[in-house]
Amino acid sequence: MFVSYDGSACPDFKGFMLLMPAVSVGNVGQLAVDLVISTLGMSKVGYFYTDCLVPMVGNNPYATTEENATELCINAEVYAVPSKQLAVLQIRSPFIKNKYRPFCQTLLSWVKSCGFAKVVLLSSSHAYQRNDQQLCGTSLRYLLSPAVEKTVGDQMQRLNRRELEQIVTFPGVNDDKTFQVPGGGITRLLFTESCSKGIPIIVLLKFCSEGDNIPDALALSDYLNEWLQLTANQESSCSLAKSSRWKIPSSWKLLFGSGLPPTLF
């Protein structure tokens, strides 16, 4: 559950939006959340203590000076910017086997107790497992729970967004359809659990492959920003101009290791 950063009482999150990633293919959701935290200069307000994630500790991923570079981070931390009524839960390690469901139950219990207005989940899915419909057009999709279908659905329509297509569960046996998110981690479970509990949730996802997923993270961040306008909009339609609004975290310098030592040559 939530543990305050300085030991004080839990901040008042009533009416806030909770943004979080799914630990999914390419870590695209986590990278996109990194961009939001870094760009908005969000303050850490606490930790999400759970035994469902692999334990980890590291240096401050958003360090800007030598002084704050020595601060420590752990596997699940909560950041906030009250002026935008936005809270972010960043997850930095994978889930322990068979711990998906307990984590979702704990998370949704916290969401209800804090009175979050809605949850936005950033995710990704294997590009190679798309069906014929999903191969056409943009690689970005969304999912809406019934609690936000009318309000947010209208906004998505105005932005010409594409909802994640449903597929036949058992071809040749029946015509029942459902949505699948291969490689999406907790995405499907968290979405269905939120729907059953009446919790407003919006899933934004991108089809991608493992590799250099920085472009995918920038695209997903832009997709989020076009809807919520978290940062200043660019007039240009150029993808490079759009992505220039994001502040790259210092930790991204080590995404692919520290490079080859000159002494090898």
Side-chain angles (χ1 to χ4, degrees):
M1 270 302 220
F2 180 82
V3 178
S4 179
Y5 178 60
D6 57 4
S8 61
C10 177
D12 184 9
F13 290 130
K14 188 172 183 180
F16 276 46
M17 178 183 73
L18 177 65
L19 176 69
M20 63 172 291
V23 182
S24 51
V25 55
N27 305 111
V28 175
Q30 294 159 289
L31 293 172
V33 167
D34 263 353
L35 290 172
V36 173
I37 294 172
S38 179
T39 302
L40 298 183
M42 301 182 74
S43 301
K44 181 162 59 178
V45 295
Y47 311 95
F48 195 78
Y49 180 77
T50 174
D51 62 353
C52 300
L53 296 167
V54 174
M56 61 80 58
V57 65
N59 288 338
N60 182 5
Y62 314 114
T64 55
T65 64
E66 291 185 5
E67 287 73 20
N68 64 18
T70 57
E71 295 177 6
L72 298 180
C73 72
I74 61 171
N75 54 11
E77 296 183 322
V78 181
Y79 298 78
V81 52
S83 62
K84 293 183 179 292
Q85 286 198 307
L86 174 66
V88 171
L89 169 62
Q90 176 61 302
I91 300 174
R92 297 194 177 93
S93 68
F95 285 86
I96 294 172
K97 188 177 180 180
N98 299 325
K99 289 287 189 176
Y100 277 13
R101 191 170 295 277
F103 177 83
C104 290
Q105 292 172 346
T106 303
L107 174 68
L108 294 180
S109 174
W110 178 58
V111 167
K112 293 190 87 169
S113 66
C114 288
F116 283 106
K118 54 181 171 286
V119 178
V120 178
L121 181 69
L122 301 185
S123 184
S124 52
S125 183
H126 285 301
Y128 71 86
Q129 290 191 252
R130 288 175 290 176
N131 61 24
D132 291 346
Q133 286 179 301
Q134 294 167 344
L135 287 169
C136 300
T138 178
S139 60
L140 294 155
R141 296 291 190 275
Y142 74 87
L143 275 171
L144 303 176
S145 68
V148 292
E149 200 161 4
K150 289 185 178 180
T151 54
V152 180
D154 291 340
Q155 297 172 4
M156 294 298 178
Q157 291 297 322
R158 286 196 295 271
L159 292 169
N160 295 317
R161 298 288 176 85
R162 288 184 62 175
E163 190 172 8
L164 182 65
E165 296 86 352
Q166 293 189 339
I167 62 174
V168 178
T169 309
F170 301 105
V173 178
N174 58 49
D175 296 328
D176 294 341
K177 290 186 176 182
T178 185
F179 69 90
Q180 300 290 340
V181 189
I186 65 169
T187 302
R188 189 172 187 273
L189 176 61
L190 185 60
F191 182 79
T192 54
E193 287 288 314
S194 298
C195 290
S196 66
K197 296 179 184 298
I199 294 175
I201 185 171
I202 302 96
V203 177
L204 304 180
L205 66 87
K206 189 178 190 302
F207 296 116
C208 67
S209 302
E210 292 281 2
D212 181 359
N213 295 105
I214 290 176
D216 298 307
L218 289 167
L220 186 59
S221 301
D222 287 336
Y223 192 62
L224 171 74
N225 194 63
E226 286 168 8
W227 168 43
L228 294 177
Q229 298 186 5
L230 297 174
T231 68
N233 288 317
Q234 300 283 348
E235 295 298 328
S236 172
S237 60
C238 172
S239 59
L240 290 176
K242 286 183 178 181
S243 298
S244 66
R245 66 164 62 94
W246 302 107
K247 180 182 178 183
I248 305 300
S250 57
S251 55
W252 282 24
K253 296 175 183 177
L254 301 175
L255 279 181
F256 302 103
S258 56
L260 298 174
T263 53
L264 281 177
F265 306 97

